[in-house]
Amino acid sequence: IKSYSRNEIARAYGYAMQNVFLFSNSIEANIAYYNPDAGEEEIRACGEIAQVSEFADAFPQGYQTVIGEKGFGLSGGQKQRVAIARALLKNAPITVLDDCTSALDIETESKIFKSLDKHFQGKTLIMATHRAMALKTFDEIIFMEHGKIIERGTFDELMALNGRYADIYRQQMDKEVFVSE
């Protein structure tokens, strides 16, 4: 990593974190933060993937709606969706999603992940999450506890192992079934 400049490294990564900072500006400008020259169509396409359109289109000004400093006027989940769209628009070869769907309901999170699959063809997506079910389609899952790798493999391999990941997955699935009944 020392052979790369700080700017090269910054360009190679896109980020969406759990606690996102949004500016007092339009939803569109917040998405276009890393790419201010992006066209409306490109911004909207990333917004569609991140499910931003679901709430932005309900505002009278749509993507032109101005939000307050730190995203005032948006819910936690809406802020996280803007952060995901921002990371997608950066179009970096590596994108890190750090628990950035924690404020989303399972249905919205599922829609985003189905859309992400298409977007990340030929790119690397690294995701940290507490929701085991969100990782079913990932190429590799690394299950950590207390900063140590406990298990790693594909979803099918980890379920066959019947270890900690499988336990957490089943607990979360049972909870989701109970909640949705």
Side-chain angles (χ1 to χ4, degrees):
I1 198 164
K2 291 180 181 181
S3 62
Y4 296 96
S5 75
R6 189 175 189 163
N7 285 338
E8 287 173 309
I9 293 169
R11 279 192 303 272
Y13 288 88
Y15 303 95
M17 305 299 178
Q18 180 178 11
N19 298 317
V20 62
F21 186 87
L22 299 178
F23 301 94
S24 181
N25 208 331
S26 68
I27 293 170
E28 180 179 84
N30 271 284
I31 292 172
Y33 177 72
Y34 294 120
N35 188 358
D37 297 326
E40 185 178 331
E41 190 175 299
E42 191 178 6
I43 292 167
R44 184 169 263 287
C46 291
E48 292 287 336
I49 293 169
Q51 300 297 301
V52 172
S53 297
E54 184 179 271
F55 68 87
D57 288 342
F59 294 132
Q61 283 81 37
Y63 276 73
Q64 298 305 316
T65 300
V66 175
I67 56 176
E69 191 74 26
K70 297 183 182 176
F72 184 77
L74 298 180
S75 71
Q78 290 169 335
K79 292 176 196 177
Q80 288 179 339
R81 289 187 253 180
V82 171
I84 293 167
R86 180 188 284 175
L88 295 175
L89 187 65
K90 186 172 181 186
N91 202 24
I94 302 166
T95 300
V96 178
L97 303 180
D98 185 4
D99 211 13
C100 66
T101 60
S102 62
L104 298 177
D105 60 85
I106 299 299
E107 185 179 336
T108 303
E109 181 186 59
S110 178
K111 288 177 186 176
I112 291 171
F113 287 135
K114 284 178 184 164
S115 298
L116 286 177
D117 232 11
K118 296 171 193 157
H119 181 80
F120 279 98
Q121 297 297 318
K123 297 179 186 173
T124 300
L125 173 62
I126 300 170
M127 181 172 169
T129 185
H130 292 93
R131 292 186 180 160
M133 54 197 133
L135 305 172
K136 285 179 78 169
T137 62
F138 279 61
D139 296 331
E140 182 173 23
I141 299 167
I142 300 174
F143 184 82
M144 299 178 75
E145 285 183 339
H146 309 294
K148 293 188 170 86
I149 296 174
I150 304 300
E151 300 168 353
R152 73 187 305 162
T154 65
F155 174 79
D156 291 337
E157 290 168 346
L158 292 179
M159 293 306 287
L161 183 62
N162 205 26
R164 288 289 296 133
Y165 176 84
D167 286 344
I168 298 286
Y169 178 83
R170 282 191 293 272
Q171 287 172 17
Q172 289 179 357
M173 286 303 294
D174 288 346
K175 187 176 180 183
E176 284 306 313
V177 169
F178 180 73
V179 168
S180 61
E181 288 179 346

